[in-house]
Amino acid sequence: MSAIELLTGEPVIGILLFIILAPFVGTIVLGLDRIITARMQGRVGPPLFQPMYDILKLFEKEKMVIHESQNFWIFGYLVFIIVTGALFFGGSDILLVIFALTLAEVSLILGAFSSGSPYAHVGAERELIQLMAIEPMIIIAAVGFYEVTNSFNTFEIASYGSPLILVLPGIFIGFVYILTVKLRKSPFDISTSHHAHQELVRGLNTEFAGSTLGMIELAHLYEVVFLLGFLCLFFGFAAPIIGIIVIALVYLLEIFVDNATSRVKWGFMLDSCWIVTAVAGVLNLMALYLILR
């Protein structure tokens, strides 16, 4: 029995805790993100729970879409993001978790394509490029976990006897690099952004409004918690306090990079992600193979 099962009694408890608590945890994380960003820019910033206030306000607005299929795909995006986190915190196979995450991204892309807007079309194409850029690194991370723990089960990976970052430093660095893409932060916010300079034309999200946009923002809260949970696997139960501190520092680094850089072209984003994946990820796997052989 894994450590999480010992603490919660049943995997279903972990699933329920994620579904219920992730929006609040994500709100706090993104709220602190906005406040710290404001301080860096010499502003006071919004209240801590402003992300949740924004989502609730969106669900109060009238639903306006160009095509009804948009609601279907965006609802699918929200559902698959929740399923991704539920599988992860429920101790499922990490490959199944990655598959669900990919389905969520595909649903979002199809939702943008279905709008017929040229801005959303370009945003969807760039989102697809982002998916191509980050998928190899996520899969390599899963393979690295398996090579060390002989398991794809997230509970067993988290319960490994020593911090996995000690043997997977390159994969950790590679995952932190693509995390900038997943968090939609500059310089890799090429498909959409949460910054004010894109309020009128937000690429992927241009044609979404009301509750449809609210579902996208809610899904982002769930996704942020899942991504931070994925980072926790590198530390697991062997070094939980150190893991929390490192993850907090990583997120602060993401905020700093977001505020200190300007957007790059999609080609640089794709090339750099693949280069980091090849150098940090693949070389780490090769070294791990030689050590464990």
Side-chain angles (χ1 to χ4, degrees):
M1 181 176 290
S2 70
I4 292 181
E5 289 174 307
L6 288 172
L7 290 173
T8 62
E10 293 292 339
V12 69
I13 303 299
I15 296 174
L16 292 175
L17 288 176
F18 170 77
I19 294 174
I20 296 171
L21 297 180
F24 299 99
V25 176
T27 295
I28 293 173
V29 172
L30 295 186
L32 289 173
D33 185 335
R34 292 187 183 187
I35 292 173
I36 294 172
T37 296
R39 294 293 193 274
M40 288 182 176
Q41 298 173 356
R43 299 183 288 109
V44 175
L48 178 62
F49 292 99
Q50 188 62 48
M52 183 59 70
Y53 299 152
D54 293 342
I55 292 174
L56 293 176
K57 189 67 174 180
L58 286 171
F59 277 104
E60 293 177 358
K61 293 181 178 293
E62 182 182 357
K63 183 188 299 182
M64 298 181 63
V65 293
I66 299 175
H67 301 290
E68 286 298 325
S69 59
Q70 291 176 247
N71 287 330
F72 172 79
W73 291 118
I74 298 307
F75 180 73
Y77 170 59
L78 174 60
V79 169
F80 280 123
I81 284 291
I82 295 175
V83 169
T84 299
L87 290 172
F88 180 84
F89 289 98
S92 185
D93 190 309
I94 197 169
L95 295 180
L96 184 59
V97 172
I98 295 173
F99 178 69
L101 180 63
T102 302
L103 286 178
E105 288 287 348
V106 171
S107 295
L108 178 61
I109 292 169
L110 291 174
F113 273 128
S114 67
S115 69
S117 166
Y119 293 112
H121 192 279
V122 171
E125 289 179 337
R126 292 185 173 187
E127 184 74 11
L128 188 58
I129 293 171
Q130 288 187 172
L131 184 62
M132 294 169 56
I134 65 175
E135 281 289 306
M137 189 67 248
I138 297 176
I139 294 173
I140 286 176
V143 173
F145 292 146
Y146 178 80
E147 286 293 321
V148 179
T149 65
N150 292 318
S151 175
F152 284 118
N153 183 281
T154 56
F155 282 174
E156 295 179 6
I157 294 172
S159 302
Y160 190 69
S162 61
L164 293 175
I165 193 174
L166 298 177
V167 290
L168 301 174
I171 292 177
F172 178 77
I173 292 172
F175 189 82
V176 169
Y177 191 84
I178 68 161
L179 191 64
T180 308
V181 179
K182 290 299 295 176
L183 293 176
R184 305 188 182 283
K185 291 189 175 298
S186 189
F188 297 149
D189 54 341
I190 66 170
S191 66
T192 187
S193 173
H194 294 282
H195 289 301
H197 65 260
Q198 283 193 331
E199 281 185 359
L200 296 181
V201 181
R202 292 188 60 191
L204 186 74
N205 295 343
T206 299
E207 299 301 329
F208 298 128
S211 60
T212 307
L213 182 58
M215 286 190 287
I216 294 177
E217 298 298 332
L218 181 60
H220 186 58
L221 297 182
Y222 278 106
E223 187 175 25
V224 167
V225 175
F226 159 71
L227 292 171
L228 296 181
F230 199 99
L231 278 177
C232 287
L233 289 182
F234 288 93
F235 302 92
F237 295 104
I241 303 301
I242 296 177
I244 293 173
I245 295 174
V246 172
I247 290 170
L249 292 175
V250 166
Y251 202 91
L252 285 173
L253 176 63
E254 295 287 352
I255 295 174
F256 174 77
V257 171
D258 186 34
N259 285 276
T261 58
S262 58
R263 179 184 299 164
V264 298
K265 295 182 178 180
W266 68 265
F268 177 84
M269 183 275 298
L270 181 64
D271 293 342
S272 65
C273 285
W274 280 359
I275 290 172
V276 170
T277 297
V279 175
V282 175
L283 290 182
N284 196 159
L285 281 182
M286 293 174 61
L288 193 61
Y289 174 77
L290 295 175
I291 293 172
L292 298 179
R293 187 175 60 178

